[in-house]
Amino acid sequence: MLTEPLINPDLRNLAAVQAEHEATLLAMPNVVGVGIGRKRTAGKDVGKPCLTVLVDIKLDKDLLALNEILPDTIGSVATDVREVGVLQAGAGPALAPPRPIERADGVAWEREWPVFDEPSAPQRDQLATLSALSRAVRGQPGAPGTAGQPLAAARIRPAIGGSSVGHYRGTAGTIGICCVDAASAENRYYLLSNNHVLANGNDATVGDPILQPAPADGGNPVTDTIGRLARFVPLRFGDGTAQPPLNYVDAAIAGGRFDQLDRRIQWTGEVRGTNPTPALGCPVQKSGRASYYTTGAVTVLNATIDVSYPGGRLARFAKQIVCTGLSTGGDSGALVTDFEQRAAGLLFAASPLVSVLNPIPLVEGLLGIRVARA
């Protein structure tokens, strides 16, 4: 599955050229990615597929040495340079050191109450005090949807795609969609988001509580736990001494209860299938915690791309989809669909100019899930 480009067959020749020259191009100054896009002249799309080199800042040729200037063609393939800005993942709200989570009586909470059990009356009294203090510290009002707290950050049951979620010691991201095991004799139900949202960028343990809304939105581990971390694909970071290892997805799932999860996505509805090979120019849409409902278009396919993570870490991803800007910090984990309601990718990184998606076949295959009805 990982050996074939996730693109239409008519672009496979470009993918072969990309594979041959990719390492050399990625070693050039300012280059953060290489993929397949459409040639642009004077900022206008001329419709011809080409090898697209992604840079954080597009510099004038006068500022580059001769060996740093991208040739107009590589073999018989046209090239293009596209500015994408600084690509980041995990740069959502409230990226502060984790704090101990305590009950109102000062006792540290870990896993002493079952995740799906309702608290007793005395526990609810304690939690009311804790919740009020927590929201006061974060500047959040006491009721969902009031001034200062967007509906996307409210407590929603059953939880749906597009709303706030996060690891109990993390920040805030977006539920992509609620989904099921791809091939299991048992009925198991999950919510899908990013590793850096649900598994804290590898710094989590299977079974950890997942909150909806997320901690940054006032979520409390006792009242707002929606599920437990079930599976995540570990992220592999470069150490700066050699070519970075390749990643394919930033993805994780949390197991939840059937009646607490809903397959719908805010504003885009129910996913009706998957689009494993979206075309260049394909219009796409997403619903996310931070920027709500937005639309864009696919601009680069089969991208190998470097993404910055908190703490100065860098991760290289292969076979990615780049779209015109769909998102901002806090939208990580949103499921991106085409206008026929087919899942195309899982949003995990962005800059002010573009968003980066994991192709949905890789997300489903590596996590063992199915996001759409069979």
Side-chain angles (χ1 to χ4, degrees):
M1 179 181 63
L2 300 182
T3 59
E4 290 296 325
L6 295 168
I7 53 176
N8 292 319
D10 57 352
L11 298 178
R12 297 287 171 85
N13 62 324
L14 281 171
V17 175
Q18 175 188 344
E20 183 180 353
H21 297 278
E22 185 173 87
T24 300
L25 293 171
L26 286 168
M28 295 176 69
N30 208 30
V31 173
V32 297
V34 180
I36 298 170
R38 284 179 176 164
K39 181 70 176 179
R40 296 180 305 162
T41 301
K44 294 184 178 180
D45 185 342
V46 298
K48 181 181 180 182
C50 68
L51 190 63
T52 299
V53 176
L54 308 175
V55 297
D56 49 12
I57 300 175
K58 193 171 183 178
L59 299 173
D60 188 276
K61 290 184 178 181
D62 292 340
L63 299 176
L64 299 171
L66 288 177
N67 63 349
E68 296 173 346
I69 298 174
L70 184 71
D72 292 334
T73 60
I74 294 178
S76 60
V77 174
T79 63
D80 195 19
V81 178
R82 185 177 294 247
E83 181 176 329
V84 296
V86 178
L87 297 165
Q88 298 184 76
L95 282 172
R99 329 180 269 156
I101 299 175
E102 297 182 347
R103 299 203 311 258
D105 59 7
V107 178
W109 180 92
E110 195 65 46
R111 290 190 180 91
E112 60 177 278
W113 293 336
V115 59
F116 297 124
D117 286 358
E118 289 295 325
S120 66
Q123 290 167 347
R124 284 197 297 270
D125 291 340
Q126 292 176 340
L127 291 169
T129 302
L130 177 60
S131 181
L133 291 171
S134 176
R135 287 190 171 95
V137 169
R138 295 182 175 93
Q140 298 287 353
T146 55
Q149 183 182 24
L151 284 172
R155 188 181 194 273
I156 300 172
R157 296 294 183 277
I160 62 175
S163 50
S164 168
V165 76
H167 184 271
Y168 82 113
R169 293 190 182 276
T171 170
T174 295
I175 296 175
I177 193 173
C178 298
C179 56
V180 296
D181 265 324
S184 173
E186 301 179 23
N187 289 325
R188 296 175 181 168
Y189 308 99
Y190 307 100
L191 60 86
L192 169 67
S193 191
N194 296 140
N195 174 318
H196 74 262
V197 173
L198 299 183
N200 263 0
N202 299 342
D203 188 20
T205 301
V206 169
D208 280 353
I210 303 300
L211 309 189
Q212 196 293 305
D217 294 322
N220 181 282
V222 181
T223 56
D224 300 314
T225 296
I226 189 66
R228 299 278 187 174
L229 180 63
R231 294 196 286 270
F232 62 93
V233 179
L235 293 167
R236 305 169 68 201
F237 297 101
D239 59 9
T241 61
Q243 184 173 329
L246 287 180
N247 297 272
Y248 295 96
V249 300
D250 179 339
I253 53 173
R257 208 169 68 186
F258 175 74
D259 63 315
Q260 297 284 297
L261 306 177
D262 193 304
R263 295 178 75 115
R264 293 173 300 162
I265 301 174
Q266 294 188 65
W267 274 71
T268 62
E270 189 168 324
V271 173
R272 297 173 182 168
T274 61
N275 184 353
T277 56
L280 290 170
C282 174
V284 290
Q285 59 186 343
K286 79 99 185 60
S287 184
R289 171 207 169 274
S291 60
Y292 312 121
Y293 176 76
T294 56
T295 62
V298 173
T299 56
V300 181
L301 296 169
N302 201 48
T304 299
I305 198 162
D306 290 334
V307 176
S308 296
Y309 280 76
R313 297 177 297 176
L314 186 74
R316 178 166 290 180
F317 288 81
K319 304 185 185 301
Q320 304 300 290
I321 301 169
V322 180
C323 300
T324 51
L326 284 169
S327 61
T328 187
D331 287 327
S332 290
L335 188 74
V336 177
T337 64
D338 62 21
F339 278 29
E340 296 179 21
Q341 309 281 94
R342 299 176 301 174
L346 186 70
L347 194 155
F348 80 101
S351 75
L353 300 175
V354 299
S355 297
V356 187
L357 322 178
N358 306 144
I360 203 64
L362 300 185
V363 174
E364 289 186 316
L366 291 171
L367 283 176
I369 58 170
R370 187 174 71 247
V371 303
R373 295 187 187 279

